[in-house]
Amino acid sequence: MAECASEMNREAMAATAIAHPNIALVKYWGKRDVERNIPAVGSLSITLDGLTTTTRVQFDAELSEDSFVLGGREAPEMQQRVARCLDCIRERAGTSLHARVESWNDFPTAAGLASSASGFAALVVAADQALAVGLPRAELADLARRSSGSAARSLFGGFVELRLTPDDERPTEVRRILEPAQWPLRVAVAVTEAGPKAVGSTEGMLLTERTSPYFQAWVESSEGDLAEARSAVERGDFEALAEISESSCLKMHAVMLSARPGLVYWNGATVECIRRVRELRADGVPVFFTVDAGPQVKAVCLPEAFDRVAGELQAVPGVTNLLESGLGEGARAVNP
Ligand code: DP6
């Protein structure tokens, strides 16, 4: 009987959440404050529905430390970041209980597909639910941001903006601009290499800030880029969004390339995919590209153009896989 009661108690401290990666159209690169992980620039993203992270968190009085298993394997390199993220929720819940965390991605991990975004978004939602804290979404986004800047955006669905604020207590603010159904764009992700990326985002950002002569110009131009993209989204102006998104992407990669040593996240197939997307748009196909800290190319298009775009990218030599997505919802708890 006692055993049964403790088993029930354990179940009560467990929860599962899902989250989707998001893709920034106006990019985040650089940190205003490294310790607190405050971005140097605001960003604007779309949340995807075709790629999913599922995370189960189980708090347990018998554990002496947190454990983290990713895709069925212990992931000691992520252990500390996961524990620090859980600390934030524990602090809010007033508990020191440790947790067993298991997470699965249905897409390649750490290859520029924003797995840390969906990972930390799912983690804060599951931990909040498991401890029945009930934090507001804005606060969950703030906690996720401390672990990974882009994760804050995956708390929301559709088109999402992360803004910097002058408030030192709450230095970022995340909000949804449009729901997925209000402008149901499609995304074709051309995978050109499935392995993990060479230089992680945090390390790459710090190197760029320290060594790129263009970093300051990047930061100074970001406000204008954000305003332009926000307005394009609000007006549903695809051509304007295409232009500003490609510009923000290329500008970020230009800053990365100008670090010492330069950060080259692309391979030959990345460049070919970019060229193909540009040719398609010149042909009147409503599509634009974006690329993050990895070699995959994300082609964002109007729904009617999706089959053509996917077919063309699949045919590019070096493209090993093509993932399809629409726009999805923010992170949410699901039944275990
Ligand atoms: C190129 O959110 O992974 O994808 O805050 O250091 O964890 P950390 O960085 P992360 O950086 C994402 C960078 C990017 C652009 C973007 O998503 O805005």
Side-chain angles (χ1 to χ4, degrees):
M1 188 68 195
E3 211 169 89
C4 176
S6 91
E7 195 53 43
M8 275 173 61
N9 197 24
R10 276 188 191 184
E11 280 309 310
M13 287 191 296
T16 301
I18 62 170
H20 305 295
N22 67 79
I23 294 176
L25 304 183
V26 174
K27 305 292 188 189
Y28 148 46
W29 195 253
K31 295 177 194 280
R32 182 204 276 176
D33 182 329
V34 183
E35 284 308 308
R36 299 167 63 204
N37 203 40
I38 304 173
V41 292
S43 49
L44 188 148
S45 60
I46 46 178
T47 302
L48 305 183
D49 70 353
L51 317 176
T52 306
T53 296
T54 306
T55 298
R56 183 169 195 275
V57 175
Q58 161 98 65
F59 287 92
D60 189 333
E62 286 172 18
L63 293 175
S64 57
E65 60 176 9
D66 298 316
S67 69
F68 179 56
V69 170
L70 179 60
R73 288 193 194 168
E74 296 278 340
E77 70 289 355
M78 287 295 291
Q79 186 97 14
Q80 211 184 343
R81 272 177 93 184
V82 168
R84 281 179 64 178
C85 184
L86 290 173
D87 284 344
C88 295
I89 306 277
R90 277 191 279 255
E91 197 191 314
R92 298 296 196 289
T95 180
S96 55
L97 288 174
H98 291 290
R100 194 175 294 116
V101 180
E102 285 172 275
S103 197
W104 302 265
N105 291 328
D106 66 358
F107 58 94
T109 295
L113 288 175
S115 55
S116 71
S118 49
F120 285 107
L123 181 62
V124 293
V125 171
D128 175 74
Q129 171 96 359
L131 291 173
V133 195
L135 292 172
R137 192 134 286 248
E139 200 159 333
L140 289 174
D142 197 57
L143 298 184
R145 187 265 305 155
R146 297 179 198 192
S147 295
S148 188
S150 54
R153 301 185 309 237
S154 277
L155 264 297
F156 296 85
F159 292 78
V160 180
E161 180 179 4
L162 183 150
R163 267 187 348 109
L164 298 179
T165 81
D167 179 358
D168 194 53
E169 291 287 301
R170 186 60 70 80
T172 57
E173 206 172 73
V174 190
R175 69 170 186 117
R176 177 167 64 195
I177 308 174
L178 280 189
E179 305 210 14
Q182 290 178 283
W183 201 15
L185 301 184
R186 304 270 299 156
V187 183
V189 181
V191 178
T192 64
E193 228 172 85
K197 58 191 165 195
V199 181
S201 303
T202 305
E203 194 187 338
M205 286 184 203
L206 299 183
L207 174 75
T208 309
E209 272 184 60
R210 252 194 346 267
T211 60
S212 166
Y214 308 139
F215 186 73
Q216 211 38 46
W218 158 254
V219 172
E220 280 161 18
S221 63
S222 72
E223 270 300 310
D225 290 353
L226 259 186
E228 215 176 307
R230 188 190 311 123
S231 157
V233 170
E234 284 165 352
R235 286 179 288 128
D237 185 336
F238 188 85
E239 196 46 47
L241 186 62
E243 227 178 80
I244 186 61
S245 300
E246 290 189 355
S247 166
S248 174
C249 166
L250 292 176
K251 198 162 31 166
M252 175 182 77
H253 283 277
V255 178
M256 290 163 160
L257 286 166
S258 67
R260 255 176 101 158
L263 292 167
V264 187
Y265 284 109
W266 299 358
N267 59 32
T270 312
V271 179
E272 272 317 305
C273 288
I274 289 174
R275 287 163 60 99
R276 200 65 208 108
V277 169
R278 284 191 144 178
E279 282 164 8
L280 283 169
R281 194 151 89 259
D283 253 11
V285 179
V287 60
F288 64 86
F289 67 82
T290 188
V291 185
D292 291 297
Q296 333 300 1
V297 176
K298 290 103 181 191
V300 182
C301 62
L302 291 180
E304 60 270 25
F306 183 80
D307 289 346
R308 168 116 191 250
V309 169
E312 295 278 355
L313 289 179
Q314 217 147 16
V316 171
V319 171
T320 55
N321 193 6
L322 197 113
L323 310 174
E324 303 187 17
S325 186
L327 303 193
E329 295 296 338
R332 58 214 179 265
V334 292
N335 290 329

